Every structure is written in C-alpha cells, then in structure tokens.
C-alpha cells in the first residue's frame, strides 16, 4: 500500500509527486496520458526560457522518479474512500491500488471527482466549467481525498498548477508528519 496515490501526471500531479517522494513518502502516480500540457508551448514558465509541454512533463516525471515516485499509465475509474479508513483506486484494466491518501490532479477533467461524490463548484477559467471544491489547502469534501491544479480551481498556467501541486503535497506531508514540513535545499561547495 502506497502512502499517497496521485491521479494525473501533469504539472500539478508530478510536482506533488516530487515533493511527496522527496519527503520519503511512498508515492504512486497513475496517469491516463491525457494531459493538456502535451499540446503546450511554454514561454512564461519561470526558470525556463521556453519549453515544450512534452519536455516539461518528461523533466517533471524524471525529477519525481529520482526520489522514488513510481509512475504507471492507467486510467482510474473508481476511487473508494472506504468510510475514511483508506483509499482504494481501481483502474480501467481492472487493477486495484490502496493508499492512505489520494491527490486528484486531473486537469480539466472532473468526471472522476463526480463519481466519487466530491463537491463541485463553478470554474473561473475559460472552458473549465466545474472544479472540485477544496478548503484552500487541497482537502476535498471526502476524507483522505485531496485535489490540486486546474481541477481544484487554480489557473491552467503550468507554473501555477505546478505550484499548487507542491502546495497541496506540503499540506499533506505536514499532516502526515504532525508538524509543518519545509523542503529547502542549499548549495553545496
């Protein structure tokens, strides 16, 4: 059983996975390979002069894998919170995975959130009709289910969704650790 399953490997999901894995949390990322970032050309991402969406996704995945995050290409069809004791995730192929928590980072897609019974609200971004209601830290209306990125109502810009994925991961890590988590690396001479 993983500590955290992240559903979606776009900027929000991979950023969350990076922070979780670097913090030593067993992290599994399930991704349907449908990220809208695959079609992007990005010239407004701080720290990158310009980058293709596919390159950004590859680099983000490699960063998370460096710290032990595991990525599996699977479309998630069911998320069961088991009354709040754990989360069971089932995929289109019939596989089943368990975790203590799950983070939904499904971009513009809310179908899965709807089937879980999460509270949805009107989206603010053009073409994003509904988003998952969160408490501002990523917690949703169901125990052990978190949301990050566009599906949680933040702007579709990759730098913002990546930052939101990191924020939600830090909140979750802090909750798991029982104290505020901070990840600061320093230059080595």
């Amino acid at each position: 059983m993983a500590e955290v399953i992240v559903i979606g490997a776009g900027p929000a999901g991979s950023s969350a996975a990076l922070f979780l894995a670097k913090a030593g949390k067993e992290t599994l990322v399930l991704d349907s390979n449908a990220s809208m970032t695959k079609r992007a050309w990005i010239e407004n991402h701080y720290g990158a002069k310009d980058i293709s969406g596919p390159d950004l996704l590859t680099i983000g995945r490699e960063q998370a894998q460096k710290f032990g995050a595991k990525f599996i290409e699977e479309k998630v069809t069911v998320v069961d919170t088991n009354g709040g004791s754990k989360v069971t995730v089932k995929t289109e192929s019939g596989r089943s995975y368990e975790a203590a928590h799950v983070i939904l980072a499904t971009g513009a897609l809310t179908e899965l959130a709807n089937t879980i019974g999460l509270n949805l609200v009107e989206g603010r971004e053009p073409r994003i009709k509904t988003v998952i209601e969160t408490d501002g830290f990523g917690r949703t209306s169901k125990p052990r289910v978190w949301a990050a990125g566009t599906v949680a109502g933040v702007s579709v810009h990759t730098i913002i969704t990546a930052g939101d994925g990191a924020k939600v991961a830090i909140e979750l890590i802090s909750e798991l650790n029982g104290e505020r988590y901070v990840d600061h690396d320093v230059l080595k001479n």
Side-chain angles (χ1 to χ4, degrees), residues 86-145:
K86 63 181 176 180
V87 182
T88 303
V89 175
K90 297 180 181 174
T91 64
E92 203 169 59
S93 71
R95 290 192 179 116
S96 183
Y97 304 91
E98 289 187 344
H101 295 268
V102 67
I103 298 175
L104 298 178
T106 55
L109 306 176
T110 57
E111 293 85 8
L112 184 59
N114 195 39
T115 64
I116 298 168
L118 297 178
N119 291 343
L120 300 177
V121 294
E122 187 177 331
R124 294 178 38 204
E125 292 287 300
R127 298 181 301 281
I128 308 294
K129 291 185 172 59
T130 57
V131 297
I132 299 169
E133 182 179 48
T134 71
D135 66 355
F137 298 102
R139 291 178 198 87
T140 70
S141 58
K142 294 282 184 180
R144 301 182 179 273
V145 179

Side-chain angles (χ1 to χ4, degrees), residues 2 13 18 22 35 37 63 70 79 98 112 122 125-126 128 138 162 170 188-189:
L18 169 59
K22 192 166 183 271
S35 174
T37 305
Q63 287 176 300
K70 293 179 177 58
V79 175
E98 289 187 344
L112 184 59
E122 187 177 331
E125 292 287 300
I128 308 294
I170 289 167
K188 296 175 183 146
N189 293 328

Side-chain angles (χ1 to χ4, degrees), residues 60-75:
R61 180 180 179 142
E62 289 169 353
Q63 287 176 300
Q65 287 173 320
K66 171 184 172 184
F67 294 104
K70 293 179 177 58
F71 286 72
I72 299 174
E73 191 171 317
E74 286 264 24
K75 182 177 181 179

Side-chain angles (χ1 to χ4, degrees), residues 155-187:
S155 173
V156 298
H157 297 89
T158 59
I159 195 152
I160 296 172
T161 60
D164 194 58
K167 177 194 81 173
V168 171
I170 289 167
E171 295 299 333
L172 178 49
I173 295 162
S174 296
E175 186 172 298
L176 291 170
N177 290 352
E179 63 184 9
R180 187 69 182 159
Y181 176 76
V182 177
D183 179 3
H184 286 249
D185 295 322
V186 294
L187 288 173

Side-chain angles (χ1 to χ4, degrees), residues 44-62:
N44 60 354
H45 198 102
Y46 178 81
K49 291 182 182 180
D50 50 38
I51 189 167
S52 73
D55 286 345
L56 183 70
L57 293 172
T58 298
I59 291 167
R61 180 180 179 142
E62 289 169 353

